Amino acid sequence: MSGSKKKKVTKAERLKLLQEEEERRLKEEEEARLKYEKEEMERLEIQRIEKEKWHRLEAKDLERRNEELEELYLLERCFPEAEKLKQETKLLSQWKHYIQCDGSPDPSVAQEMNTFISLWKEKTNETFEEVIEKSKVVLNLIEKLKFILLETPPCDLQDKNIIQYQESILQLQELLHLKFGVATEILLKGKNETSVTFFINYKGKHWRTDGISNVSYKPKERLVTFSLDTFGPVTLIQDAHINMPYQSWELRPLDVNKVLLTVTTVFTEIQIQIKENLCMLSSIKLKDKKHISILEGTWMTPIPFIIALKEAGLNIFPTRHSHFYVIINNKVPLVEVKAYRQMALLSSAFAFGWSKWNLLCNSTKVVFKVREHLTEACTENPNWALLMFSGDRAQRLKIKEESEAFSEALKEETEFHSTLYHMVKDFASEEAMEKVRSSNCQFVNSVCHMLLSTRLLSYS
């Protein structure tokens, strides 16, 4: 019989083994403790160094703040200068209207407007051509009143004036609808058609959806057809916020004092050129297909341009109530205004673009991409810098657009600045900064106006 005998372990040997095990455990615990303490000391040391570095940068920023703000103030003198030119143009326009004596009223004078409206309303036995010619005058007056309401700073416009202008617009629009009905009746009678009773550009002062049938839409021709039970004004109503929030945006220099603003929405891509004190619809793309608009190629000053785009259904201009209807990261107004003013100042030599991180940072800060752009040619993989701005501090972020998580960490070997202008100046060429300094004041003001009107940093 073969087999192995188990070796008996004595009590003393067992105690010894337990003791050795305990010593090994204590040694491992001590090593782990020492390692943790070392790592903690290293972490605290890194933290201390970073904190000291942060304080040094803050102190440096504070030290040169007055100097930077003073330089920015000198550059921002272009805004009051542009406003002065605008006022001079307005006064010249009023003078031209005065010396023309063409019978059309001054839209800002209530008495003249009331007299004009009353006289045309009471006039009968007009020809079709006379109604059309007078309608052109009325449409021009409506545009002028809208222009006054949008153009005049709120501090210069009293509440009673605002109510007066709004009432004049409404009265003119109602008068137009009335006269269009008369003109249509004249036209039908002139063609020996059966006399028609008109049911009305009024009952209950609201729009109705009944009485419209056989509605069809041809996508290829972009043509809507329908039948009406009665004659009257017809309107197509679109959701005012259908293009908000925007998917992305970019502001890119094209030439001296000329930029291209691209706003991409869920349905369309709108490109706007801005030069001097003028704006132009450059192109529209619907589902990646180019769409032709009668507005394309027509240069207008910013306010008439915005009105024209809205009336064409291309509304990318939020109102003060829009945040109730659109889910956005509504930025602090002062931060937004400061950002737009400085972006406009830099726009002749730098491109700016949408960043996904702008939605993730809080409402007191904005984040966007920026890069030097001195030629019109597009670069396939442009080297964008990510900037964060809080109104009184600008910094370049360490993260990239492709990073996995948002962080406010400062990019290595960069500093804080009090303005976007000086932050960009740190990595810009002298050629670019010279281009910025020589920008036309009306151009800068127009770019700023368009940025303020679209509110890209809150609505994208």
Side-chain angles (χ1 to χ4, degrees):
M1 190 177 213
S2 63
S4 58
K5 292 182 181 180
K6 285 186 178 179
K7 185 180 178 182
K8 289 184 178 180
V9 180
T10 64
K11 188 177 180 180
E13 288 173 329
R14 191 160 52 248
L15 285 170
K16 187 180 178 183
L17 287 170
L18 288 170
Q19 189 178 1
E20 288 173 351
E21 184 65 28
E22 181 65 13
E23 287 174 353
R24 202 162 37 245
R25 186 184 66 79
L26 290 170
K27 186 180 179 183
E28 287 174 356
E29 283 182 356
E30 180 65 14
E31 286 175 350
R33 185 182 66 80
L34 290 170
K35 184 181 178 184
Y36 171 78
E37 287 179 352
K38 184 183 178 186
E39 288 176 348
E40 184 66 9
M41 285 177 69
E42 288 174 350
R43 187 185 69 80
L44 289 171
E45 181 62 15
I46 290 169
Q47 199 176 63
R48 185 189 65 78
I49 292 168
E50 286 297 315
K51 202 171 181 181
E52 282 183 358
K53 182 183 174 184
W54 191 271
H55 286 318
R56 281 199 305 272
L57 290 173
E58 282 185 326
K60 194 172 182 180
D61 177 37
L62 195 62
E63 187 181 334
R64 64 188 173 201
R65 174 163 294 188
N66 289 338
E67 185 184 333
E68 289 187 348
L69 291 176
E70 191 176 332
E71 187 176 356
L72 179 67
Y73 172 75
L74 291 172
L75 288 167
E76 287 189 330
R77 284 168 64 180
C78 67
F79 293 112
E81 182 64 30
E83 286 300 322
K84 184 184 173 186
L85 289 171
K86 203 183 291 181
Q87 288 302 315
E88 287 174 359
T89 304
K90 185 180 175 182
L91 290 170
L92 183 62
S93 176
Q94 288 175 339
W95 173 248
K96 282 182 179 178
H97 177 270
Y98 177 76
I99 61 174
Q100 272 177 348
C101 297
D102 60 355
S104 63
D106 184 340
S108 63
V109 180
Q111 190 177 352
E112 289 188 26
M113 287 299 294
N114 292 335
T115 303
F116 174 83
I117 291 167
S118 298
L119 287 173
W120 196 32
K121 191 180 285 185
E122 292 167 4
K123 191 170 184 181
T124 55
N125 301 324
E126 290 176 282
T127 65
F128 179 81
E129 289 75 16
E130 285 174 334
V131 173
I132 295 303
E133 283 306 309
K134 201 78 167 183
S135 297
K136 290 177 183 176
V137 175
V138 171
L139 287 169
N140 187 41
L141 288 170
I142 290 171
E143 289 305 308
K144 282 182 178 179
L145 284 165
K146 287 181 180 178
F147 185 84
I148 293 168
L149 284 169
L150 287 167
E151 180 77 4
T152 312
C155 56
D156 296 341
L157 207 56
Q158 295 179 12
D159 289 342
K160 64 176 184 179
N161 296 124
I162 295 171
I163 294 167
Q164 172 202 318
Y165 299 153
Q166 289 172 339
E167 285 179 350
S168 294
I169 289 171
L170 188 62
Q171 288 173 352
L172 288 169
Q173 288 172 335
E174 288 178 349
L175 186 57
L176 265 184
H177 288 312
L178 179 67
K179 292 292 183 177
F180 283 162
V182 171
T184 308
E185 189 174 6
I186 293 168
L187 188 64
L188 289 171
K189 285 180 178 178
K191 288 181 175 288
N192 297 318
E193 299 285 349
T194 305
S195 180
V196 179
T197 303
F198 289 83
F199 298 91
I200 300 176
N201 283 69
Y202 297 141
K203 190 176 180 181
K205 297 276 185 180
H206 63 267
W207 295 102
R208 296 169 56 181
T209 56
D210 58 329
I212 301 172
S213 57
N214 303 324
V215 180
S216 67
Y217 175 61
K218 295 178 181 178
K220 199 170 183 181
E221 294 88 353
R222 299 183 56 76
L223 182 68
V224 178
T225 59
F226 51 88
S227 301
L228 294 175
D229 291 350
T230 59
F231 283 100
V234 177
T235 185
L236 294 175
I237 298 175
Q238 180 192 63
D239 178 2
H241 302 95
I242 196 169
N243 289 314
M244 303 172 206
Y246 320 127
Q247 301 292 294
S248 63
W249 59 270
E250 184 180 280
L251 180 69
R252 176 163 53 90
L254 292 178
D255 203 346
V256 178
N257 296 316
K258 188 176 182 182
V259 296
L260 179 71
L261 174 63
T262 303
V263 180
T264 306
T265 76
V266 175
F267 302 101
T268 184
E269 180 191 273
I270 300 168
Q271 290 194 326
I272 298 166
Q273 285 190 31
I274 307 167
K275 69 172 182 180
E276 296 176 0
N277 65 328
L278 300 170
C279 302
M280 178 192 76
L281 181 62
S282 181
S283 77
I284 309 169
K285 285 182 184 174
L286 295 170
K287 294 180 179 178
D288 296 326
K289 291 182 180 177
K290 188 169 172 59
H291 171 65
I292 304 299
S293 168
I294 57 169
L295 295 175
E296 283 183 51
T298 304
W299 289 97
M300 292 180 267
T301 53
I303 290 174
F305 176 75
I306 289 168
I307 293 170
L309 249 62
K310 279 184 173 182
E311 290 179 349
L314 299 172
N315 188 15
I316 51 169
F317 308 101
T319 67
R320 58 180 178 174
H321 302 298
S322 292
H323 63 279
F324 292 120
Y325 304 95
V326 186
I327 299 171
I328 57 168
N329 186 351
N330 204 19
K331 303 296 181 180
V332 172
L334 186 59
V335 175
E336 228 181 329
V337 170
K338 284 186 175 181
Y340 294 144
R341 284 169 70 95
Q342 292 180 50
M343 286 164 69
L345 282 169
L346 294 159
S347 63
S348 57
F350 295 88
F352 296 87
W354 170 84
S355 168
K356 65 182 180 182
W357 303 121
N358 183 55
L359 192 62
L360 296 178
C361 71
N362 63 41
S363 62
T364 63
K365 295 168 184 172
V366 293
V367 177
F368 47 85
K369 297 183 295 187
V370 63
R371 66 187 176 95
E372 188 174 301
H373 188 104
L374 296 176
T375 59
E376 190 175 339
C378 292
T379 310
E380 261 190 51
N381 298 304
N383 185 26
W384 292 100
L386 269 178
L387 297 190
M388 185 170 76
F389 183 55
S390 64
D392 55 8
R393 173 177 289 174
Q395 67 187 74
R396 189 169 176 180
L397 297 177
K398 186 177 182 179
I399 56 168
K400 295 183 178 179
E401 193 66 18
E402 304 77 31
S403 300
E404 292 182 3
F406 179 66
S407 168
E408 294 189 5
L410 202 65
K411 184 175 173 63
E412 298 87 349
E413 298 179 4
T414 63
E415 300 179 350
F416 296 133
H417 283 280
S418 302
T419 74
L420 285 175
Y421 173 82
H422 292 91
M423 183 72 254
V424 168
K425 194 177 177 182
D426 270 1
F427 56 85
S429 67
E430 183 52 41
E431 183 186 354
M433 297 316 294
E434 182 54 40
K435 210 171 180 181
V436 167
R437 287 188 287 267
S438 59
S439 294
N440 176 279
C441 68
Q442 288 182 307
F443 161 75
V444 173
N445 194 58
S446 296
V447 174
C448 185
H449 190 116
M450 201 53 59
L451 292 175
L452 283 166
S453 300
T454 51
R455 292 196 61 196
L456 301 171
L457 295 170
S458 278
Y459 283 82
S460 60

